[in-house]
Amino acid sequence: MGGAFLAAAVLARLGGRIGLPTIPLFILAGILLGPHTPGFVLVADPHDLEMLSALGLVLLLFYLGLEFHLDDLKAGGRRMALAGTVYLVLNVGAGLGFGFALGWGTSEALVLAGVLGISSSAIVTKVLVDTRRLGNPETKPILGIIVVEDIFLALYLAALQPILSGADSFSAAAADGGKAFGFLLLLALAARFGTNVVGRLFATKDDELLVISFLGAAVLVAGVSEWFGVADAIGAFMVGLMLGSTTSGERIRQLVHPLRDAFGAIFFFAFGLSIAPGDLPVVLWPVLAAVVLTLLMNVLAGVGAARLYGFGPGPAANISTTLLARGEFALILATMAAGAGLDDRLSPFIAGYVLLLAVLGPMAAGRSHWLARVLPGGRSGPDGPGGPDTAQDAREGNPAGAAV
């Protein structure tokens, strides 16, 4: 674990000197020092870091929940749901069509629909933090889309599992889906009506006790969520949503920073450990085609979400590029596909696709003003809606300049 931390830090420091984002560098450290790359192997079994990696994902989404206020959810819930639905229809639909076009099989196409359709919550969170856009107006639809995706994810996994296992009855899938939806509803009600009670339970002047309390709550609810068939990340997100609105919310945001950064780095490092570079050339062209398709669908979805909120091309470009990366959910699907004995090309395809977008996503998000210039209205002038100054303000985290 110590070697993983140091390797990630060294590569990130070197990459930072030439302007590269940290996420792909953490992943690259895992690839170079993992069991699938010749040379020195730091971690022979990626499962050795599995629990630490899961904790990194939980803390990333917990922090995202802290930044997502209940008032925002209540005020814009309908638009957020619509933006998330549009995003899923475009991306999951394109992924399903792409899967059938490859001709690998129906089950494989269903897996690819999820791989191409769902963004990486962990990478999206890290991008928002690194680009200092958490206060931007367009971050609300981004977070809304992530929430809708996580809800869809819970139901999708419940429905996909019996198909991959060859089950004939859909009653088990319906029961699993109902259990997941019921638990999500319970978490939503607790976030909506239980904030005052939760605030009193966590109120303490002792930082040590506060850290232990919020960390325990986030991890426990994440574990219970997984048992109910809901992504552990969404459980942590809901805990952050509740605690962020309490009187201790601001202190929790400050205290969770070092934990989020440290274990988030381990999450991306462990992600790199699972990638075998030698398998990638076999599926190079399908991977490149899928990346181009995802870029196109994300731009369409970003423009649609921006118009729902009355934003110009600068925020539209931010939405499109921030949601571009794919990650943890795709790896879950790759594991399920391998266990179900599906086409052998699926695993290297998913690894190559996720790796390429994990690199391109953060880099594109940091240069979203380039995309903003070619979107409709992007050349309306430095002071007009969506002009270069708007894109620059949005890129630097200036809420006033991000909205039209």
Side-chain angles (χ1 to χ4, degrees), residues 45-66:
D45 185 359
H47 293 292
D48 289 345
L49 295 181
E50 188 172 11
M51 183 60 71
L52 294 174
S53 172
L55 183 58
L57 179 60
V58 163
L59 288 170
L60 283 166
L61 270 292
F62 173 72
Y63 180 79
L64 192 62
L66 290 172

Side-chain angles (χ1 to χ4, degrees), residues 108-255:
E108 286 80 358
L110 291 172
V111 170
L112 288 173
V115 171
L116 271 66
I118 305 295
S119 305
S120 167
S121 300
I123 296 179
V124 168
T125 305
K126 191 68 166 59
V127 167
L128 289 172
V129 172
D130 289 349
T131 55
R132 295 177 294 172
R133 291 179 186 159
L134 284 170
N136 281 22
E138 73 269 15
T139 298
K140 294 179 183 178
I142 290 173
L143 298 185
I145 290 171
I146 288 295
V147 171
V148 172
E149 282 185 326
D150 282 336
I151 295 172
F152 172 80
L153 164 61
L155 302 177
Y156 184 77
L157 285 177
L160 188 62
Q161 183 61 51
I163 295 174
L164 295 184
S165 63
D168 297 326
S169 174
F170 286 94
S171 58
D176 289 342
K179 183 173 70 172
F181 182 78
F183 185 70
L184 283 171
L185 181 61
L186 180 63
L187 288 178
L189 290 173
R192 173 66 180 85
F193 300 107
T195 304
N196 292 334
V197 175
V198 171
R200 287 195 295 268
L201 290 174
F202 281 81
T204 176
K205 295 181 179 180
D206 190 319
D207 285 349
E208 179 184 10
L209 293 179
L210 186 57
V211 169
I212 294 171
S213 299
F214 74 69
L215 184 60
V219 175
L220 177 62
V221 174
V224 174
S225 297
E226 195 170 32
W227 187 81
F228 274 97
V230 177
D232 51 5
I234 192 62
F237 175 88
M238 297 302 289
V239 175
L241 189 65
M242 284 184 269
L243 294 180
S245 301
T246 66
T247 55
S248 302
E250 185 57 38
R251 286 174 59 213
I252 293 174
R253 289 185 192 93
Q254 296 299 320
L255 292 169

Side-chain angles (χ1 to χ4, degrees), residues 9-95:
V10 168
L11 273 181
R13 287 173 67 91
L14 293 175
R17 294 183 178 180
I18 56 175
L20 291 178
T22 59
I23 294 170
L25 294 169
F26 292 155
I27 296 172
L28 178 61
I31 295 174
L32 293 177
L33 298 174
H36 306 296
T37 303
F40 177 73
V41 176
L42 178 67
V43 183
D45 185 359
H47 293 292
D48 289 345
L49 295 181
E50 188 172 11
M51 183 60 71
L52 294 174
S53 172
L55 183 58
L57 179 60
V58 163
L59 288 170
L60 283 166
L61 270 292
F62 173 72
Y63 180 79
L64 192 62
L66 290 172
E67 295 290 343
F68 193 84
H69 299 290
L70 279 171
D71 291 339
D72 296 334
L73 185 61
K74 288 183 285 186
R78 185 171 299 176
R79 284 190 298 181
M80 288 178 186
L82 183 56
T85 301
V86 169
Y87 188 90
L88 285 173
V89 168
L90 287 172
N91 284 273
V92 175

Side-chain angles (χ1 to χ4, degrees), residues 348-401:
F349 170 87
I350 292 173
Y353 172 76
V354 169
L355 177 61
L356 197 52
L357 284 181
V359 173
L360 290 178
M363 294 180 69
R367 295 161 179 81
S368 60
H369 56 292
W370 293 354
L371 175 61
R373 291 171 184 165
V374 301
L375 292 179
R379 295 185 180 273
S380 57
D383 298 320
D389 287 350
T390 299
Q392 177 73 18
D393 287 336
R395 193 170 70 256
E396 293 178 353
N398 180 1

